[in-house]
Amino acid sequence: MKAAVVRDFTAPLTIEDRTLPEPGPHQVRVRIEACGLCHTDIHAARGDWPVKPTPPFVPGHEGVGIVEAAGHEVRHVRVGDRVAVPWLADACGRCDYCVTGWETLCLQQHNSGYSVDGGYAEQALAHGDYVVPVPHGVDPLDAAPLTCAGVTTYKAVKVSGARPGSRVLVSGIGGLGHLALQYARIAGAETVAVDVTDEKLALARELGADHVIDARTQDVAAETQKLGGADAAISLAVSSASFQAAYGALRRGGTLVLVALPAGGKLELPVFETVLNGTKVVGSIVGTRQDLAEVFRLHQLGRTRVIRESRRLEEVNACIEEVLAGKVSARLVFDLR
Ligand SMILES: [Zn+2]
Ligand SMILES: [Zn+2]
């Protein structure tokens, strides 16, 4: 089977022919139909973060495909089912995080395309209890971006406390932000979209943003304060300046939700204002299996739209360059069918 492999953090990925993996008792083997390219995959391939994966490895945590073989202990899914293989490859299932709905914080977790091989391949092994069924009628090319970009922003909107009548600012209307904006609207919030390209600002308007701010020419904090300030700001742009602007846009009691991970990113907070204003700052990492099931259901119901472009797996290195150059206006998805 064909796979895109990271052999060295300083070299391009190589397309290799690997032997077909056999699933263990609790595993399934998934014939991958589609896998999205998330910025995290680039960080993985380049060893950007303090905890690094060990080459050789196969990136990808937005894999979607059909279960082709299942170990004898697998009960939750069957051969022939369409499933998603998300970032949370598996967790211990017993710690306080796992049993209280915070499996994404489990210290024993494994991560697809990072600590275990992921979806940049024709076939991938996954834990039978941690794959998430993709409902009928959801296109695999849509399901792939929903598996990370979707669930990550859906969870961030939940964590933000968005509700009818609240005002939510979404900073960065790209692969993640265009979904965050839609989830904030589903939650009933008044939405403020911030970006720095005409194309993305137009997309925000098209998706129904109540207010659109061009951070190139407008002061994000001042403009949002004119509206009364944001109850929550979700930071998805990979830029430290956008974090500061999002913080400044909050009203008293507001919540800043950090999601984007700029390499070495730092946020400087004025203690006095944070205390006096009762500001909350919270990090949000992906989402649980239940969150992802909800994301798929919303899409099946026609409540969300995924903006994406498909590519061949052989184009992986060119795709990475495209993303790094900021040339893509949508999620890139490898179509492996
Ligand atoms: Zn991701
Ligand atoms: Zn655990």
PDB file of all heavy atoms in Angstrom, residues 15-27:
ATOM      1  N   ILE A  15       7.036   9.110  -0.950  1.00  0.00           N
ATOM      2  CA  ILE A  15       5.904   8.215  -1.217  1.00  0.00           C
ATOM      3  C   ILE A  15       6.485   6.803  -1.299  1.00  0.00           C
ATOM      4  O   ILE A  15       7.376   6.538  -2.106  1.00  0.00           O
ATOM      5  CB  ILE A  15       5.186   8.592  -2.540  1.00  0.00           C
ATOM      6  CG1 ILE A  15       4.697  10.042  -2.498  1.00  0.00           C
ATOM      7  CG2 ILE A  15       4.046   7.618  -2.830  1.00  0.00           C
ATOM      8  CD1 ILE A  15       3.561  10.325  -1.534  1.00  0.00           C
ATOM      9  N   GLU A  16       6.014   5.934  -0.422  1.00  0.00           N
ATOM     10  CA  GLU A  16       6.596   4.590  -0.323  1.00  0.00           C
ATOM     11  C   GLU A  16       5.525   3.527  -0.461  1.00  0.00           C
ATOM     12  O   GLU A  16       4.354   3.771  -0.206  1.00  0.00           O
ATOM     13  CB  GLU A  16       7.297   4.435   1.044  1.00  0.00           C
ATOM     14  CG  GLU A  16       8.400   5.449   1.240  1.00  0.00           C
ATOM     15  CD  GLU A  16       9.103   5.318   2.591  1.00  0.00           C
ATOM     16  OE1 GLU A  16       8.822   4.336   3.317  1.00  0.00           O
ATOM     17  OE2 GLU A  16       9.926   6.193   2.897  1.00  0.00           O
ATOM     18  N   ASP A  17       5.987   2.338  -0.809  1.00  0.00           N
ATOM     19  CA  ASP A  17       5.084   1.194  -0.864  1.00  0.00           C
ATOM     20  C   ASP A  17       5.343   0.377   0.411  1.00  0.00           C
ATOM     21  O   ASP A  17       6.455  -0.085   0.622  1.00  0.00           O
ATOM     22  CB  ASP A  17       5.379   0.373  -2.125  1.00  0.00           C
ATOM     23  CG  ASP A  17       4.264  -0.616  -2.395  1.00  0.00           C
ATOM     24  OD1 ASP A  17       3.115  -0.342  -1.984  1.00  0.00           O
ATOM     25  OD2 ASP A  17       4.541  -1.670  -2.999  1.00  0.00           O
ATOM     26  N   ARG A  18       4.331   0.273   1.272  1.00  0.00           N
ATOM     27  CA  ARG A  18       4.509  -0.427   2.543  1.00  0.00           C
ATOM     28  C   ARG A  18       3.669  -1.694   2.576  1.00  0.00           C
ATOM     29  O   ARG A  18       2.664  -1.791   1.870  1.00  0.00           O
ATOM     30  CB  ARG A  18       4.057   0.475   3.695  1.00  0.00           C
ATOM     31  CG  ARG A  18       4.956   1.670   3.892  1.00  0.00           C
ATOM     32  CD  ARG A  18       4.595   2.339   5.205  1.00  0.00           C
ATOM     33  NE  ARG A  18       5.761   2.893   5.861  1.00  0.00           N
ATOM     34  CZ  ARG A  18       5.759   3.346   7.111  1.00  0.00           C
ATOM     35  NH1 ARG A  18       4.657   3.280   7.835  1.00  0.00           N
ATOM     36  NH2 ARG A  18       6.855   3.839   7.637  1.00  0.00           N
ATOM     37  N   THR A  19       4.054  -2.624   3.433  1.00  0.00           N
ATOM     38  CA  THR A  19       3.258  -3.849   3.549  1.00  0.00           C
ATOM     39  C   THR A  19       1.958  -3.531   4.282  1.00  0.00           C
ATOM     40  O   THR A  19       1.911  -2.668   5.162  1.00  0.00           O
ATOM     41  CB  THR A  19       4.017  -4.940   4.328  1.00  0.00           C
ATOM     42  OG1 THR A  19       4.505  -4.363   5.525  1.00  0.00           O
ATOM     43  CG2 THR A  19       5.159  -5.526   3.521  1.00  0.00           C
ATOM     44  N   LEU A  20       0.916  -4.232   3.896  1.00  0.00           N
ATOM     45  CA  LEU A  20      -0.407  -4.011   4.451  1.00  0.00           C
ATOM     46  C   LEU A  20      -0.400  -4.411   5.932  1.00  0.00           C
ATOM     47  O   LEU A  20      -0.057  -5.531   6.265  1.00  0.00           O
ATOM     48  CB  LEU A  20      -1.400  -4.879   3.664  1.00  0.00           C
ATOM     49  CG  LEU A  20      -2.844  -4.426   3.624  1.00  0.00           C
ATOM     50  CD1 LEU A  20      -2.963  -3.036   3.035  1.00  0.00           C
ATOM     51  CD2 LEU A  20      -3.647  -5.413   2.787  1.00  0.00           C
ATOM     52  N   PRO A  21      -0.774  -3.476   6.847  1.00  0.00           N
ATOM     53  CA  PRO A  21      -0.734  -3.833   8.263  1.00  0.00           C
ATOM     54  C   PRO A  21      -1.917  -4.719   8.674  1.00  0.00           C
ATOM     55  O   PRO A  21      -3.015  -4.561   8.163  1.00  0.00           O
ATOM     56  CB  PRO A  21      -0.814  -2.471   8.953  1.00  0.00           C
ATOM     57  CG  PRO A  21      -1.515  -1.577   7.985  1.00  0.00           C
ATOM     58  CD  PRO A  21      -1.221  -2.103   6.603  1.00  0.00           C
ATOM     59  N   GLU A  22      -1.665  -5.649   9.564  1.00  0.00           N
ATOM     60  CA  GLU A  22      -2.729  -6.525  10.079  1.00  0.00           C
ATOM     61  C   GLU A  22      -3.250  -5.960  11.396  1.00  0.00           C
ATOM     62  O   GLU A  22      -2.466  -5.635  12.287  1.00  0.00           O
ATOM     63  CB  GLU A  22      -2.191  -7.942  10.292  1.00  0.00           C
ATOM     64  CG  GLU A  22      -2.202  -8.804   9.042  1.00  0.00           C
ATOM     65  CD  GLU A  22      -3.527  -8.770   8.276  1.00  0.00           C
ATOM     66  OE1 GLU A  22      -4.595  -8.965   8.903  1.00  0.00           O
ATOM     67  OE2 GLU A  22      -3.493  -8.529   7.049  1.00  0.00           O
ATOM     68  N   PRO A  23      -4.563  -5.827  11.576  1.00  0.00           N
ATOM     69  CA  PRO A  23      -5.075  -5.272  12.830  1.00  0.00           C
ATOM     70  C   PRO A  23      -4.893  -6.224  14.015  1.00  0.00           C
ATOM     71  O   PRO A  23      -5.042  -7.437  13.864  1.00  0.00           O
ATOM     72  CB  PRO A  23      -6.564  -5.051  12.528  1.00  0.00           C
ATOM     73  CG  PRO A  23      -6.887  -5.920  11.375  1.00  0.00           C
ATOM     74  CD  PRO A  23      -5.629  -6.124  10.597  1.00  0.00           C
ATOM     75  N   GLY A  24      -4.559  -5.638  15.185  1.00  0.00           N
ATOM     76  CA  GLY A  24      -4.504  -6.399  16.427  1.00  0.00           C
ATOM     77  C   GLY A  24      -5.929  -6.648  16.916  1.00  0.00           C
ATOM     78  O   GLY A  24      -6.893  -6.186  16.284  1.00  0.00           O
ATOM     79  N   PRO A  25      -6.092  -7.337  18.081  1.00  0.00           N
ATOM     80  CA  PRO A  25      -7.433  -7.704  18.552  1.00  0.00           C
ATOM     81  C   PRO A  25      -8.402  -6.518  18.701  1.00  0.00           C
ATOM     82  O   PRO A  25      -9.588  -6.653  18.428  1.00  0.00           O
ATOM     83  CB  PRO A  25      -7.170  -8.338  19.924  1.00  0.00           C
ATOM     84  CG  PRO A  25      -5.721  -8.686  19.951  1.00  0.00           C
ATOM     85  CD  PRO A  25      -5.023  -7.843  18.955  1.00  0.00           C
ATOM     86  N   HIS A  26      -7.891  -5.341  19.122  1.00  0.00           N
ATOM     87  CA  HIS A  26      -8.770  -4.175  19.342  1.00  0.00           C
ATOM     88  C   HIS A  26      -8.732  -3.182  18.188  1.00  0.00           C
ATOM     89  O   HIS A  26      -9.285  -2.098  18.284  1.00  0.00           O
ATOM     90  CB  HIS A  26      -8.370  -3.460  20.633  1.00  0.00           C
ATOM     91  CG  HIS A  26      -8.609  -4.267  21.860  1.00  0.00           C
ATOM     92  ND1 HIS A  26      -9.846  -4.348  22.465  1.00  0.00           N
ATOM     93  CD2 HIS A  26      -7.780  -5.066  22.571  1.00  0.00           C
ATOM     94  CE1 HIS A  26      -9.763  -5.161  23.513  1.00  0.00           C
ATOM     95  NE2 HIS A  26      -8.524  -5.612  23.597  1.00  0.00           N
ATOM     96  N   GLN A  27      -8.044  -3.562  17.107  1.00  0.00           N
ATOM     97  CA  GLN A  27      -7.844  -2.589  16.015  1.00  0.00           C
ATOM     98  C   GLN A  27      -8.707  -2.874  14.785  1.00  0.00           C
ATOM     99  O   GLN A  27      -9.183  -3.997  14.589  1.00  0.00           O
ATOM    100  CB  GLN A  27      -6.380  -2.625  15.568  1.00  0.00           C
ATOM    101  CG  GLN A  27      -5.432  -1.950  16.535  1.00  0.00           C
ATOM    102  CD  GLN A  27      -4.008  -1.980  16.027  1.00  0.00           C
ATOM    103  OE1 GLN A  27      -3.531  -3.008  15.544  1.00  0.00           O
ATOM    104  NE2 GLN A  27      -3.332  -0.845  16.111  1.00  0.00           N
TER     105      GLN A  27
END
